[in-house]
Amino acid sequence: MTTWEPPVPALSVRQVLALERVLAGEPEVVAGAARLDRPVRWVHVAEAADVGVMLSGGEMVLTTGVLLAGDEHKQTEYVRSLHRAEASAVVLGLGRAFPSPPEAMRRAAERCQLPLVVLHRPFPFAQLTEEVQSRLVRRKFAAVSLSETVRTELTALITGGAPLQRLLDEIARHSGCPVVLTNLAHRVLGTAGERSAVDDVLRDWERIARQAGRSEGDGWIRAELGGRGEPWGRLVLCGYRGDTETGRLLADRAAEALVLHRMLGGADCSWEGQSALSLLTDLVGGAVPARHLLPRARAAGLPVNRRTFVPLVVRGHRAAPLDRTLRLLGLPGIAGELSATVTAVLLSLARDQDAEALTAHFAARLRSEPADGPVVVAAAAARASFDDVPAGLREARHVADAVADDAAALDLPPVVRLRDVHLRGLVRLLRDDPQVQSFAERELSGLLRDPGEDLLPVLRTYLATGRNKSRTAQLHHVSRPALYRRLEAIQIRLGVDLDDFEQAASLHIALLAHDAQQR
């Protein structure tokens, strides 16, 4: 197998002309000034008129022109041959053959847009050659060293089980510029770098992404991600300030690591899911204002202009099935798992769509699909502004948590809202109050001291079903006589009469508070 050789990071013609040794020769650009950013791969001293056939591209050619003096045709053909060989520039030392820049060479170089530089003072070409070659070698060594450093550090992160974001942060640290990971449709899957710089990139991401996809320039460097000949993503360094070849080398090394990370992650490693989760987590957390997250949401493919947002929290389904259901129903939205049992969903609907009807349709579809337990779909009121989404997600989370423990026993509507949780919602809001905690411990102490008989779940179900003995027996898979014995044991332990409404209500509130504290 052929060992891959990294490209030599090049100096530009402009950078070479700015070297102290070159400045001593008083260089003047007399043609091709617009192409001074061409890369210089090597420096070649040659007097032969047919030097073009000896070049492979990217060379800066140094000459005194002794074989060209007095023949304008040769001078013109000399410049053309360098242009055909894709030389980066030609440097002509004045004095030996030409006292001033030859007009024929200047015109030909201007037509070819080949930088023609004259040196007004005698200058040892060997010094320029030595200076440029040594700099190129040092840059090549630095690029190879950077390549190995990046590869080693990213591989260590992958083998240590680091998440995707940690890899992107490391890539951004080495590149010193914003880093964006996308799929082939330009949907942003991850970003890293200084927050303000990343936001600037994301504000107009669709236009920027398509422009960066056509060509590289101004520090925009991309690397394709894929396997088995099939591309499935792209890494973009946005505004890399080093030389292009080093940036491309860095991007390639980073792309190799990202492909490995995805392969080792297997089917459970969904970058789209991680992107949605990161955005939803930041929205729920509220540490970052929603308006600052708007560019991320737009770049992630969520429609945000003139939309109605419906915040949801679902218990009983993972994010992947929810994503499939969203696509199946044609509902624009994102889903992310806040925990093993809780998934946040944000729908983005057109203003003329019926938000309540579509939410109910989505919930009905989820409840009809196979699940490990009861499915709860909690929703906040639709939001007309993205700024109100965080509060809506927190409200939906509160509603879902309020009914989580008794979802099987309660007669819940397809979409549970704040108005449906009544006392449960209030108790959950007060769960951290010391007096509420003391009340719950005091009311339930007879069962909490000795939970071995599993009486607490029976009491919870009995009260949640409105003291329906038949329903309680059915849910606990016991006979009616067996249930009566357990209820009798509960009354003895707690010293209460479960047929007394006030005492039963007090126990119900205590249980709600106890469960809320445990959660």
Side-chain angles (χ1 to χ4, degrees):
M1 188 174 82
T2 303
T3 302
W4 182 78
E5 182 72 16
V8 180
L11 294 165
S12 69
V13 175
R14 192 187 307 278
Q15 289 172 316
V16 172
L17 297 181
L19 296 177
E20 186 175 350
R21 287 188 177 182
V22 180
L23 290 174
E26 296 183 5
E28 178 189 0
V29 180
V30 297
R35 305 300 296 276
L36 292 182
D37 290 320
R38 277 182 168 181
V40 176
R41 190 183 58 82
W42 207 243
V43 177
H44 191 69
V45 181
E47 298 292 353
D50 59 348
V51 65
V53 299
M54 309 174 192
L55 306 180
S56 56
E59 294 90 351
M60 175 180 276
V61 177
L62 312 181
T63 183
T64 61
V66 292
L67 300 181
L68 304 175
D71 191 332
E72 292 190 356
H73 175 72
K74 280 187 177 181
Q75 295 167 21
T76 300
E77 185 54 35
Y78 180 81
V79 172
R80 288 174 177 171
S81 69
L82 293 180
H83 172 64
R84 289 193 295 269
E86 298 183 349
S88 60
V90 58
V91 178
L92 175 65
L94 300 180
R96 187 173 180 186
F98 297 99
S100 61
E103 187 61 22
M105 290 184 70
R106 191 198 66 77
R107 287 196 303 268
E110 196 63 55
R111 283 195 297 270
C112 296
Q113 282 297 290
L114 174 70
L116 172 60
V117 182
V118 297
L119 301 175
H120 288 278
R121 299 188 62 179
F123 182 81
F125 284 167
Q127 290 186 12
L128 174 57
T129 303
E130 178 187 8
E131 176 80 8
V132 174
Q133 315 303 46
S134 63
R135 286 176 178 265
L136 288 174
V137 169
R138 288 198 301 269
R139 289 161 75 95
K140 177 177 181 179
F141 177 78
V144 173
S145 177
L146 173 64
S147 168
E148 291 308 309
T149 298
V150 171
R151 172 187 281 160
T152 300
E153 293 183 2
L154 294 182
T155 301
L157 289 174
I158 293 170
T159 55
L164 172 64
Q165 187 59 52
R166 182 70 184 84
L167 268 68
L168 293 177
D169 290 340
E170 192 68 14
I171 295 167
R173 185 177 71 83
H174 281 290
S175 64
C177 67
V179 171
V180 178
L181 175 66
T182 77
N183 61 15
L184 295 181
H186 307 297
R187 177 177 174 181
V188 174
L189 307 179
T191 62
E194 185 182 345
R195 191 73 264 160
S196 59
V198 171
D199 288 344
D200 287 342
V201 170
L202 295 184
R203 282 190 185 95
D204 196 18
W205 174 248
E206 186 173 350
R207 181 188 64 79
I208 290 174
R210 297 188 183 281
Q211 180 178 341
R214 290 194 297 269
S215 62
E216 291 183 347
D218 298 326
W220 290 80
I221 298 172
R222 67 184 186 277
E224 301 296 323
L225 309 178
R228 298 180 181 177
E230 290 293 331
W232 36 256
R234 184 174 292 117
L235 178 72
V236 185
L237 306 186
C238 308
Y240 179 73
R241 295 182 180 179
D243 64 85
T244 301
E245 295 298 342
T246 301
R248 191 173 294 117
L249 178 62
L250 174 60
D252 288 342
R253 285 289 178 261
E256 291 171 7
L258 292 174
V259 170
L260 178 62
H261 181 273
R262 181 167 175 131
M263 289 172 59
L264 294 179
D268 293 334
C269 180
S270 165
W271 288 353
E272 288 81 358
Q274 292 182 48
S275 172
L277 174 60
S278 174
L279 175 59
L280 288 167
T281 300
D282 285 346
L283 284 169
V284 172
V288 182
R291 62 181 178 278
H292 293 167
L293 298 173
L294 195 59
R296 283 174 57 190
R298 182 186 293 110
L302 186 73
V304 295
N305 294 330
R306 296 185 297 278
R307 309 291 289 187
T308 296
F309 302 99
V310 182
L312 304 170
V313 166
V314 179
R315 284 185 172 273
H317 271 301
R318 305 296 296 269
L322 290 180
D323 269 332
R324 287 195 296 270
T325 303
L326 287 173
R327 290 194 298 270
L328 193 63
L329 298 179
L331 294 175
I334 54 175
E337 293 177 12
L338 302 181
S339 70
T341 59
V342 178
T343 300
V345 180
L346 180 61
L347 301 182
S348 175
L349 306 176
R351 292 279 174 87
D352 59 353
Q353 291 181 294
D354 189 333
E356 286 208 16
L358 289 174
T359 303
H361 183 44
F362 175 64
R365 183 60 181 256
L366 290 182
R367 292 164 71 95
S368 69
E369 294 175 354
D372 295 334
V375 175
V376 174
V377 181
R383 263 58 179 175
S385 170
F386 194 77
D387 287 342
D388 297 330
V389 167
L393 285 169
R394 289 192 289 271
E395 178 184 316
R397 177 73 183 266
H398 167 67
V399 172
D401 288 346
V403 299
D405 294 306
D406 299 315
L410 296 171
D411 184 19
L412 298 173
V415 179
V416 188
R417 301 184 184 275
L418 191 60
R419 61 176 178 266
D420 301 314
V421 296
H422 305 296
L423 181 62
R424 293 173 176 275
L426 176 62
V427 171
R428 178 167 175 76
L429 289 175
L430 299 175
R431 69 180 185 268
D432 294 326
D433 187 290
Q435 295 188 41
V436 174
Q437 295 173 359
S438 177
F439 168 76
E441 290 291 321
R442 184 173 61 252
E443 288 290 300
L444 301 172
S445 61
L447 297 182
L448 296 177
R449 282 196 304 266
D450 183 14
E453 295 184 44
D454 206 25
L455 297 178
L456 201 63
V458 173
L459 176 61
R460 181 183 294 111
T461 305
Y462 178 65
L463 296 174
T465 58
R467 297 184 291 175
N468 186 321
K469 295 183 177 65
S470 297
R471 179 65 174 152
T472 302
Q474 179 185 11
L475 289 172
H476 284 272
H477 307 289
V478 297
S479 64
R480 288 284 291 269
L483 175 65
Y484 294 155
R485 288 193 295 271
R486 294 187 186 186
L487 294 177
E488 183 64 27
I490 290 171
Q491 293 183 105
I492 293 172
R493 290 278 194 92
L494 298 180
V496 298
D497 180 3
L498 291 178
D499 290 329
D500 182 278
F501 175 78
E502 185 173 339
Q503 293 183 56
S506 181
L507 284 176
H508 187 42
I509 295 171
L511 258 176
L512 292 176
H514 170 76
D515 291 341
Q517 292 159 18
Q518 296 303 308
R519 295 192 66 79

